């Protein structure tokens, strides 16, 4: 080789050496891999901008090298760099990589399975990105992995069991994802594991006891999942190094294992929000290092163990929302305690709050709300110098608020509401410079609000609602510059609203309603630019609104109703944020300002019962969210503006009592949610629009006292939700549509004072919920009253007066048990009034020429007779007269039998033969029997002539069956009913109108039937026939007939059996009068032939 060749060879070798050095300098393939990695991602912050082959790879930002000379990349940390995109696969070529931290970026896509090629990886941190999908099972092949933190992503699916192969894992964090399934038992193989973070997922299943093998575990957090079942004692026993144990907000059940008390390293235990039950184990008192114990929101019961007082390092004890009970655990307040936060709220603790609570000198928060503590607040509570929150509300505490409360200079929240505290608010409260919230509402506090409250310069919220505070609102209230909420409703405050309140520039809610405040609203209130809630209703405020209120442009809810305010309402209409606006029951005047239409979110406008005039402003149609519009009882004129048709959320419209005119707009039918439409007492004309029937949710439709004409639309049947229909005092004509039967929820129906005609539809009787009133008076209804009205058992008022109704009053009206007012007057009704209606006053039936019977004059045979009925009535009376002789014979036989029962005539000697006020079923007969006194004994002998004289007043009309009084039709059995009544009266000694029947809610017939039936049912056992007789068997027999032998008693009840047969309700079931006479004659002859009877009537032969 020549010199030239040697030179070329030397140059080649030098170039080769240089290239080899450059390759070594830049790491070869790893450099290429990183450059490809950068290229595949978006780097908005330019973190990887300096990555270049011109710079040594080990000097690149985020890159860590293990061998700088060879350029081996062992670490890559690009956390919190805002890089975006999917992890490029080139990163898998970094075969020496041991730590990869891409956390807190915006990486997306799935966690790539090619990461398993990084076999030297010990730390993999991908948390707080936007990764989705499942956790790759291949990660379980990374045997050197010690830290795996991939939480706070959008990961789903189950935790792969293969992670149990990463036996060197010390830190496993999968929190804040959407992982499901159970915790794999394979994780129990991770004996080096120190931190297991699984909270805020959707894990379910039970806790695997195999985790107890992770004896080095210091932190176990699986809170906010759906884990269930018991806490396995095996798990607890194995975790000897555990410091933090957090299983809160799952559905774990069963008892808390006592083994928890054996983990002496525990500093934090949180098992809140589960379903743990049973008692709190006493073993917890041995956890000397415990700082936080939270067992709230479980189902724990019983008293607190005294051993908890031994937790000298305990700072936080939360036991609220359980079912614990007992007295306050004094042991918790040892003077050496470090307890700073104690909550026993919403349990069943009772008794006094002990003065020993002063031992908890480090208490910052004390929450005893929603228990049953009683007694007074201990004066010693003022010694808790560190306390910032004192919550004692919702108990039964009594007595005064102790003045020592003023010593709690660090107090920020004082909550005493819903107790039974009395007395005054102590003036010492003014010493609480740090007090921000003072709630003492719903107590029985009295006296003035102390002026010293103005010294509480930090006060933000004051609520003293529902007490008996009196006096005036203190002027010092204006010193509370930070006050945002002032609620003094429902007290006895009086006087004027102090103008100093205008200095409370932060005030957002002012509620002084339900007091006795008077005077004017101060102008200074216009300075409350932050005011949102303005409530002064139910006071005695007067005068006009100050114009300065127009500066309060953040108002959302205004209620000044029930005062004496006057003038224009304009000052309150400049806010465009109004949600509700209520000025009802005042004396406001002028027009409704169109500015109200600027609040497009306004839901309620209530201006009723004022003196407003002019037209309804069309600008209200801009209020798209309006649901309630009440402008009733004003002096508004003009038509209803069509612009309201776009307010589709309207549910209640009340325009009653104005001077509005025009036709009822048909666009009401487009308001599908309309529930109340009140247009009464205006000047509306025209028909009821058919489109109104589209409002199927309508509950109240009131169009009364207008000049509405036309007929009631038949489509009213669509209003199936209707409760009240009021159309009275209009000019409606035509019939009531039968389709009204579909309005089954009607509670009140008023159609009076119209020109309605035709028959009353029987379908009204199907409206079973009618209760308040059915008023069809002052119309032109004709035909008969439908008997179906009798089925309206809830109806209280029925008025059918001033019509042209005819025919009988239906007996079914007597079934209306709830009726308190009935008016059928001024019609053409006729015929007899049924006894079930006789209790109504005569005014209920006046001016019906053909009506008779109580409470009107008694019916005469010819009453209401027409020429066509004369022949029929004559035949009926002939039959009645022909049967009358049979009745007289039967009565004589009854007397004969009864007189044979007693020789000493106690019977009828002390009473009248028939009642002196015998108005039962339309007959009135009275004839007292004469009495004679003989040898000091009241004695009576009846002759045939006297019996005939006593029955002389029983005319045919007075003794025939009651159905004749109703139908004016006599039959062959029509007289036996009255025969049965007379027999019952003679035997019982009672009148049919006896007040005792009214008390028992039955009449004489039912009473006798009950007694006879009772005797018959017990006769088989001998109750009535033996010495021990059933109560009530003999009460039907007059005392004047007693004592009776058993045969005589049997005869009396045989007579009553006949009487019961005679008074059967169905005439066809009664025996014929001749048959009754034959049976009575047989009884009379049988008594004469018996020795007993012969002996008893030996001196009474006049009866024959």
């Amino acid at each position: 080789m020549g010199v030239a060749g040697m030179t070329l060879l030397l140059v080649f070798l030098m170039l080769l050496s240089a290239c080899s050095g450059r390759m070594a300098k830049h790491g070869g393939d790893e450099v290429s891999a990183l450059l490809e990695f950068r290229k595949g991602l978006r780097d908005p912050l330019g973190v990887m901008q300096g990555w270049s082959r011109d710079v040594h790879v080990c000097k690149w930002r985020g890159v860590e090298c293990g061998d700088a000379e060879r350029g081996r990349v062992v670490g890559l940390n690009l956390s919190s760099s805002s890089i975006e995109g999917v992890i490029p696969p080139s990163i898998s070529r970094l075969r020496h990589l041991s730590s990869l931290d891409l956390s807190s970026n915006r990486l997306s896509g799935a966690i790539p399975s090619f990461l398993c090629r990084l076999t030297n990886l010990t730390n993999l941190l991908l948390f707080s990105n936007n990764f989705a999908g499942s956790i790759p099972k291949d990660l379980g092949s990374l045997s050197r992995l010690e830290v795996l933190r991939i939480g706070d992503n959008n990961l789903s699916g189950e935790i792969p069991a293969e992670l149990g192969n990463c036996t060197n894992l010390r830190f496993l964090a999968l929190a804040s994802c959407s992982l499901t399934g159970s915790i794999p038992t394979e994780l129990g193989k991770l004996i080096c594991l120190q931190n297991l973070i699984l909270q805020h997922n959707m894990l379910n299943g039970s806790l695997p006891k195999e985790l107890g093998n992770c004896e080095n575990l210091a932190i176990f957090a699986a809170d906010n999942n759906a884990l269930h079942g018991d806490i396995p004692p095996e798990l607890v026993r194995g975790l000897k190094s555990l410091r933090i144990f957090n299983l809160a907000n799952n559905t774990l059940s069963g008892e808390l294992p006592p083994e928890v008390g054996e983990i002496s390293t525990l500093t934090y235990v949180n098992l809140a929000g589960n379903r743990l039950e049973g008692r709190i184990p006493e073993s917890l008192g041995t956890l000397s290092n415990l700082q936080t114990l939270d067992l709230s929101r479980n189902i724990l019961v019983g008293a607190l163990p005294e051993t908890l007082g031994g937790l000298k390092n305990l700072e936080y004890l939360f036991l609220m929302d359980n079912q614990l009970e007992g007295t306050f655990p004094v042991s918790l307040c040892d003077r050496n305690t470090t307890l700073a936060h104690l909550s026993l709220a919403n349990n069943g603790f009772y008794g006094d709050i002990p003065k020993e609570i002063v031992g908890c000198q480090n208490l910052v928060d004390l929450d005893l709300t929603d228990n049953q503590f009683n007694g007074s607040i201990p004066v010693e509570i003022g010694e808790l110098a560190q306390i910032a929150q004192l919550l004692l509300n919702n108990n039964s505490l009594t007595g005064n608020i102790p003045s020592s409360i003023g010593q709690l200079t660090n107090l920020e929240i004082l909550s005493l509401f819903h107790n039974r505290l009395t007395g005054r608010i102590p003036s010492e409260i003014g010493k609480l410079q740090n007090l921000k919230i003072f709630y003492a509402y719903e107590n029985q506090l009295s006296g003035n609000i102390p002026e010293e409250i103005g010294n509480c310069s930090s006060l933000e919220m004051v609520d003293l609602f529902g007490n008996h505070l009196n006096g005036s609102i203190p002027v010092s209230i204006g010193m509370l510059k930070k006050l945002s909420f002032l609620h003094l409703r429902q007290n006895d405050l009086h006087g004027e609203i102090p103008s100093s309140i205008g200095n409370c520039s932060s005030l957002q809610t002012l509620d002084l309603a339900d007091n006795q405040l008077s005077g004017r609203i101060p102008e200074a209130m216009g300075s409350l630019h932050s005011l949102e809630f303005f409530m002064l209703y139910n006071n005695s405020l007067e005068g006009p609104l100050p114009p300065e209120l127009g500066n309060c442009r953040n108002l959302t809810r205004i209620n000044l109703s029930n005062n004496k305010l006057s003038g224009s309402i304009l000052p309150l209409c400049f806010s465009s944020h109004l949600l509700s606006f209520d000025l009802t029951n005042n004396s406001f005047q002028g027009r409704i300002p169109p500015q109200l239409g600027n609040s497009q979110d306004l839901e309620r406008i209530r201006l009723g019962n004022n003196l407003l005039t002019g037209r309804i402003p069309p600008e209200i149609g801009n209020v798209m969210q309006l649901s309630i519009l009440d402008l009733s009882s004003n002096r508004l004129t003009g038509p209803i503006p069509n612009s309201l048709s776009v307010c589709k959320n309207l549910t209640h419209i009340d325009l009653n009592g104005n001077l509005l005119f025009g036709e009822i707009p048909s666009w009401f039918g487009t308001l599908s949610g309309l529930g109340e439409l009140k247009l009464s007492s205006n000047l509306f004309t025209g028909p009821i629009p058919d489109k109104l029937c589209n409002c199927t949710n309508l509950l109240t439709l009131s169009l009364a006292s207008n000049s509405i004409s036309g007929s009631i639309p038949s489509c009213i049947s669509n209003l199936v939700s209707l409760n009240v229909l009021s159309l009275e005092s209009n000019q409606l004509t035509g019939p009531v549509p039968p389709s009204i039967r579909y309005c089954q929820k009607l509670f009140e129906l008023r159609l009076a004072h119209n020109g309605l005609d035709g028959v009353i539809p029987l379908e009204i009787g199907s409206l079973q919920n009618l209760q308040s009133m059915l008023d069809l008076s002052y119309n032109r209804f004709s035909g008969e009253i439908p008997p179906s009205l009798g089925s309206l058992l809830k109806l209280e008022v029925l008025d059918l007066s001033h019509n042209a109704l005819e025919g009988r009053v239906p007996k079914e009206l007597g079934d209306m048990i709830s009726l308190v007012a009935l008016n059928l007057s001024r019609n053409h009704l006729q015929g007899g009034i049924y006894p079930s209606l006789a209790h109504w006053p005569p005014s209920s039936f006046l001016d019906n020429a053909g009506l008779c019977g109580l409470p009107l004059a008694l019916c005469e045979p010819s009453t209401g007779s027409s020429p066509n009925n004369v022949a029929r009535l004559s035949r009926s009376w002939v039959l009645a007269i022909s049967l009358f002789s049979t009745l007289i014979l039967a009565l004589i036989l009854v007397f004969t039998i009864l007189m044979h029962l007693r020789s000493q005539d106690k019977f009828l000697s002390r009473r009248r033969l028939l009642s002196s006020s015998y108005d039962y079923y339309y007959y009135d007969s009275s004839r007292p029997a004469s009495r004679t006194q003989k040898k000091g004994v009241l004695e009576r002998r009846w002759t045939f002539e006297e019996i005939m004289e006593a029955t002389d007043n029983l005319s045919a009309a007075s003794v025939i069956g009651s159905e004749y009084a109703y139908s004016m039709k006599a039959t062959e059995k029509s007289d036996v009913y009255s025969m049965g009544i007379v027999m019952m009266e003679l035997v019982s000694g009672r009148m049919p109108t006896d007040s005792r029947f009214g008390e028992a809610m039955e009449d004489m017939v039912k009473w006798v039937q009950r007694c006879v039936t009772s005797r018959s049912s017990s006769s088989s056992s001998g109750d009535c026939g033996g010495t021990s007789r059933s109560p009530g068997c003999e009460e039907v027999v007059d005392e004047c007939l007693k004592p009776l032998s058993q045969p005589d008693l049997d005869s009396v009840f045989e007579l009553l059996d006949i009487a019961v047969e005679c008074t059967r309700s169905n005439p066809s079931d009664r025996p014929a009068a001749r048959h009754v006479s034959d049976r009575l004659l047989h009884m009379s002859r049988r008594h004469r032939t018996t020795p007993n009877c012969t002996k008893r009537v030996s001196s009474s032969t006049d009866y024959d």
Side-chain angles (χ1 to χ4, degrees), residues 498-558:
S499 59
S500 63
I501 205 168
N503 298 326
C504 302
S505 55
S506 299
L507 200 60
Q508 297 177 6
T509 296
L510 176 62
D511 192 344
L512 308 178
D514 289 308
N515 280 286
Q516 302 173 29
L517 299 174
S518 58
R520 298 182 175 226
I521 297 175
E523 298 176 357
M525 294 188 71
S527 301
L528 302 178
H529 297 162
S530 300
L531 193 63
E532 298 178 7
F533 286 68
F534 189 28
M535 306 290 169
L536 301 178
Y537 58 90
N538 293 345
N539 280 288
S540 297
L541 299 171
E542 58 187 7
L545 299 174
E548 290 78 5
L549 287 178
N551 299 324
C552 302
R553 306 214 168 185
N554 288 305
L555 286 169
T556 58
R557 299 191 183 275
I558 299 173

Side-chain angles (χ1 to χ4, degrees), residues 679-819:
L679 306 178
S680 295
S681 301
N682 280 284
L683 304 173
F684 291 114
T685 57
I688 300 173
D690 287 344
K691 290 186 178 180
L692 201 58
C693 299
N694 296 331
C695 301
T696 55
N697 291 308
L698 203 60
L699 300 176
T700 298
L701 177 59
S702 179
L703 308 178
S705 301
N706 282 284
S707 298
I708 298 171
S709 57
S711 59
I712 300 174
S714 59
C715 64
I716 199 170
S717 58
N718 296 343
L719 304 181
V720 294
S721 300
L722 201 61
N723 294 153
V724 176
L725 178 59
S726 179
L727 304 178
E728 73 264 28
S729 300
N730 278 288
Q731 299 172 14
L732 296 171
T733 57
V736 176
S739 59
I740 200 171
R741 69 180 180 275
Y742 295 108
C743 302
Q744 283 295 312
K745 294 184 179 179
L746 265 179
F747 179 85
E748 180 177 311
L749 179 58
R750 295 173 180 262
L751 304 178
H753 293 275
N754 279 286
L756 300 172
D757 53 30
V759 298
I760 298 175
L762 59 88
E763 288 82 0
I764 290 181
S766 67
L767 303 177
Q768 295 297 306
N769 287 305
L770 269 180
Q771 179 173 339
S772 176
M773 175 174 287
L774 173 58
D775 189 355
L776 306 181
S777 62
Y778 290 92
N779 279 286
R780 301 171 184 170
F781 290 115
S782 58
E784 297 187 350
I785 299 174
S788 61
L789 297 187
S791 62
L792 302 178
L793 301 183
K794 298 179 182 178
L795 191 63
E796 297 173 357
V797 177
L798 175 61
D799 192 346
L800 305 180
S801 64
H802 294 85
N803 280 286
L805 299 172
E806 56 188 12
R808 300 294 305 277
V809 178
K811 64 180 179 181
E812 287 81 1
L813 297 190
D815 299 332
M816 303 174 73
I817 57 176
S818 301
L819 207 61

Side-chain angles (χ1 to χ4, degrees), residues 87 108-113 115 124 126 131-132 134-136 139 150 153 155:
I87 297 177
S108 58
I111 297 176
S113 59
L115 292 179
L124 178 57
L126 302 177
F131 290 116
S134 59
I135 301 172
L139 293 181
I150 57 178
N153 279 289
L155 300 174

Side-chain angles (χ1 to χ4, degrees), residues 490-650:
Q490 282 189 18
N491 279 284
D492 299 319
L493 299 172
H494 55 78
E496 298 186 354
I497 300 173
S499 59
S500 63
I501 205 168
N503 298 326
C504 302
S505 55
S506 299
L507 200 60
Q508 297 177 6
T509 296
L510 176 62
D511 192 344
L512 308 178
D514 289 308
N515 280 286
Q516 302 173 29
L517 299 174
S518 58
R520 298 182 175 226
I521 297 175
E523 298 176 357
M525 294 188 71
S527 301
L528 302 178
H529 297 162
S530 300
L531 193 63
E532 298 178 7
F533 286 68
F534 189 28
M535 306 290 169
L536 301 178
Y537 58 90
N538 293 345
N539 280 288
S540 297
L541 299 171
E542 58 187 7
L545 299 174
E548 290 78 5
L549 287 178
N551 299 324
C552 302
R553 306 214 168 185
N554 288 305
L555 286 169
T556 58
R557 299 191 183 275
I558 299 173
N559 192 340
L560 307 184
S561 61
N562 298 301
N563 279 285
K564 303 174 183 178
L565 298 168
S566 58
S568 173
I569 66 175
L570 181 61
L572 292 174
C573 298
F574 290 103
S575 172
S576 59
H577 309 292
L578 290 173
L579 298 176
S580 65
F581 191 74
D582 192 344
L583 304 180
T584 54
N585 296 319
N586 280 283
S587 298
F588 287 114
Q589 303 153 353
R591 295 177 177 269
I592 299 174
Q595 287 86 346
L596 274 180
N598 296 334
S599 295
Q600 296 188 7
D601 293 326
L602 187 57
E603 299 173 355
R604 301 183 179 187
I605 298 178
R606 294 181 182 272
L607 301 176
N609 201 18
N610 280 285
L611 302 173
L612 299 172
T613 56
R615 295 180 175 237
I616 300 173
E619 289 81 1
I620 291 181
N622 299 330
V623 184
M624 306 296 292
Q625 301 302 318
L626 190 64
S627 63
I628 296 178
L629 178 62
D630 181 2
L631 307 179
S632 61
S633 301
N634 281 284
R635 300 174 181 175
L636 301 173
T637 60
I640 299 173
N642 289 329
S643 59
L644 289 177
S645 62
V646 299
C647 301
K648 300 301 183 183
N649 292 319
L650 274 169

Side-chain angles (χ1 to χ4, degrees), residues 58-73:
C58 296
K59 295 182 179 180
W60 291 2
R61 182 175 177 178
V63 176
E64 179 184 356
C65 293
D67 187 343
E69 292 184 2
R70 297 184 178 182
R72 292 180 176 177
V73 177

Side-chain angles (χ1 to χ4, degrees), residues 289-301:
N289 293 309
L290 194 62
Q291 299 173 7
T292 298
L293 176 60
D294 190 348
L295 302 178
S296 60
R297 293 180 289 115
N298 280 286
I299 319 174
L300 300 172
V301 298

